Amino acid sequence: MNRAEPPPPPRKPGKAAVLVLLVIAAIILIIFFARNIWHGEELQENQEAGNNVAENYQGQSNY
């Protein structure tokens, strides 16, 4: 007499949805911070080389 074990309970979709949202949020934050760091390094390199291109990012100033 082999007793079959009952099937495992179904997984809750709520936990999976939270996990997916957390992964997507983490990817967005990583891209955001990495791009900000890269942009800061580019501006610093341009300013050290005497090529101040800040107006290219902000538009021409009338001051």
Side-chain angles (χ1 to χ4, degrees):
M1 290 172 108
N2 288 337
R3 285 183 154 187
E5 293 185 20
R11 295 184 182 182
K12 295 185 179 184
K15 287 185 178 181
V18 169
L19 181 62
V20 168
L21 290 176
L22 287 175
V23 168
I24 291 172
I27 290 171
I28 290 171
L29 286 174
I30 289 169
I31 291 171
F32 175 77
F33 284 114
R35 183 158 169 83
N36 279 332
I37 291 169
W38 169 81
H39 186 253
E41 290 173 354
E42 287 290 315
L43 283 176
Q44 184 177 5
E45 288 175 9
N46 288 337
Q47 289 174 352
E48 288 173 356
N51 182 15
N52 188 356
V53 292
E55 60 270 1
N56 289 344
Y57 296 107
Q58 301 294 328
Q60 291 289 341
S61 175
N62 292 331
Y63 299 109

